Amino acid sequence: MDTSEDATAGMRTTAGVIQMTNGQQYTAPPTGGFPRPECVESPLRNTTDRNRADWGAEKGPKGFVRVYRANSSTPPESSSAPPTAREELEERLPAPWNFLVTDIAADALKKLTDQGWWSTPTITFYVFGPDIPLPRYIMTLQNLCTGADHEACKFVARIVTDKLKSLKEASEFLIKHSAAGDKDAESALDTIEAKPLEIALPGGESDLVWNIYFTPPKSIDFFRLLEWTSSARKLTYDTARHGTGVPRVGRDQLFCIGCKGYDHPTGLCPLPRLVGWFGAPLQSVSADDKTLSKADERNERNDNKKSKGGKGPRTGGNGHRSGNRNSRRRN
């Protein structure tokens, strides 16, 4: 992608597509910018020790790039450092996903990372800098019997906030591992918000789950933040009349094989719905991806095994099957 001033001068936008003077095209950023994937794993996941050492030794401006709905088997147009997998993972499009980009001007890298997603007729990719973006996502709760209106959003956010505030170590951890005087660390728990998400289940039913987000302290280390959110996902969130909120963990964790976000299944990825999007369209997404999270798909396969005398389905990390308390038949 040519981001020089000569190439970007005189650009025009038609039907969500930016036309450059050199003939290149890419999807125009929507109002407010492209949605950023809520990635809660290291960009170096499943890379070798040699990979990490070599990449860490690279000097000068550098960043990471990954291709939409692909992994390391699909390299971007230009990359000087492809990843090497530590082991073979039993996943669809398994990690590693990210390529290290070097030998790039600092201003060009900033322009690429500021926009994040770049979708062209030939390739769609995401770019981020060596400072890993801090995710706002904490977890996805299931098993709460609520509606999905504004009052329900406030209610779910409040039960999570109250539970975490009742644990002294929850706030102390954020303060301890943030820079001294970081006011964001002291008020982080007050920024918790809940957003409803309806996901499809096997058998034509659906389930209302809740994604929980907050504004993390800007100065906290990425891996310390993941340590904190991991602890939050080990808890349950009780209510007097609406059931107990249980985090979806392990194989029940939502995951999008397109953007690599953890707060929605592939079929609910917001990117293919953008005007002018060149990446994989919704029509090309398989039926499984459209209707099931990765976890639910696996549970259904295990149910089939059990009916044939095989091993039955395992429960998630909290001993609950996904989506069984607030499910309903889809019309």
Side-chain angles (χ1 to χ4, degrees):
M1 174 63 66
D2 187 352
T3 60
S4 65
E5 290 187 12
D6 289 342
T8 56
M11 297 185 305
R12 69 181 190 277
T13 303
T14 305
V17 175
I18 292 178
Q19 310 278 346
M20 301 173 69
T21 55
N22 62 2
Q24 290 184 340
Q25 299 175 304
Y26 63 93
T27 304
T31 302
F34 287 105
R36 301 277 173 157
E38 293 289 343
C39 298
V40 293
E41 286 191 289
S42 167
L44 302 177
R45 179 184 177 226
N46 199 35
T47 56
T48 63
D49 292 339
R50 177 64 182 271
N51 239 168
R52 301 179 185 207
D54 289 347
W55 287 7
E58 288 283 353
K59 304 298 182 183
K62 57 185 176 182
F64 290 101
V65 59
R66 64 168 170 265
V67 179
Y68 183 80
R69 202 173 169 79
N71 63 356
S72 59
S73 64
T74 306
E77 291 176 320
S78 60
S79 174
S80 60
T84 303
R86 177 188 293 270
E87 60 181 319
E88 185 176 347
L89 302 177
E90 293 186 4
E91 300 175 356
R92 299 176 68 181
L93 300 178
W97 304 307
N98 302 302
F99 292 75
L100 184 73
V101 175
T102 57
D103 300 325
I104 184 172
D107 57 344
L109 179 62
K110 184 178 186 306
K111 183 168 184 176
L112 289 170
T113 56
D114 283 350
Q115 179 165 308
W117 284 104
W118 295 84
S119 183
T120 76
T122 56
I123 193 169
T124 295
F125 56 94
Y126 179 66
V127 187
F128 59 100
D131 295 327
I132 310 169
L134 296 176
R136 297 186 64 246
Y137 173 79
I138 301 175
M139 59 189 160
T140 300
L141 290 180
Q142 62 186 9
N143 294 357
L144 286 172
C145 300
T146 67
D149 57 15
H150 180 65
E151 289 303 314
C153 293
K154 293 195 297 183
F155 170 75
V156 175
R158 186 171 66 252
I159 65 170
V160 174
T161 301
D162 290 348
K163 178 62 176 277
L164 293 177
K165 281 189 172 182
S166 72
L167 303 172
K168 187 178 180 182
E169 58 269 26
S171 57
E172 286 183 344
F173 184 95
L174 294 174
I175 295 172
K176 177 182 178 181
H177 295 290
S178 300
D182 188 340
K183 298 297 183 182
D184 291 339
E186 299 175 9
S187 61
L189 296 184
D190 293 321
T191 68
I192 288 175
E193 59 181 313
K195 295 183 179 181
L197 180 70
E198 186 172 353
I199 60 174
L201 299 176
E205 293 186 335
S206 65
D207 189 27
L208 180 66
V209 298
W210 289 90
N211 284 329
I212 309 299
Y213 304 89
F214 84 136
T215 302
K218 295 183 179 65
S219 60
I220 195 170
D221 175 74
F222 175 83
F223 296 101
R224 288 295 188 183
L225 178 59
L226 296 194
E227 186 178 342
W228 184 85
T229 56
S230 176
S231 296
R233 288 194 290 272
K234 294 176 182 177
L235 305 172
T236 55
Y237 298 83
D238 303 324
T239 71
R241 299 171 54 189
H242 300 281
T244 297
V246 178
R248 293 176 68 110
V249 296
R251 72 180 197 183
D252 285 339
Q253 173 66 56
L254 299 180
F255 180 70
C256 175
I257 65 172
C259 71
K260 308 300 187 282
Y262 280 70
D263 58 350
H264 59 271
T266 306
L268 295 181
C269 185
L271 292 170
R273 293 168 170 80
L274 296 176
V275 176
W277 180 251
F278 286 109
L282 286 177
Q283 293 86 340
S284 71
V285 177
S286 69
D288 285 343
D289 286 338
K290 280 184 178 179
T291 58
L292 308 177
S293 72
K294 181 173 65 173
D296 295 323
E297 179 187 359
R298 189 179 294 114
N299 283 338
E300 185 178 38
R301 289 200 302 268
N302 285 334
D303 283 338
N304 292 335
K305 286 182 181 180
K306 186 176 181 181
S307 66
K308 297 177 182 179
K311 186 177 179 180
R314 295 180 294 131
T315 59
N318 289 295
H320 291 265
R321 285 289 305 280
S322 61
N324 57 356
R325 291 283 294 276
N326 199 26
S327 61
R328 49 195 176 274
R329 177 71 59 178
R330 293 174 66 89
N331 295 322

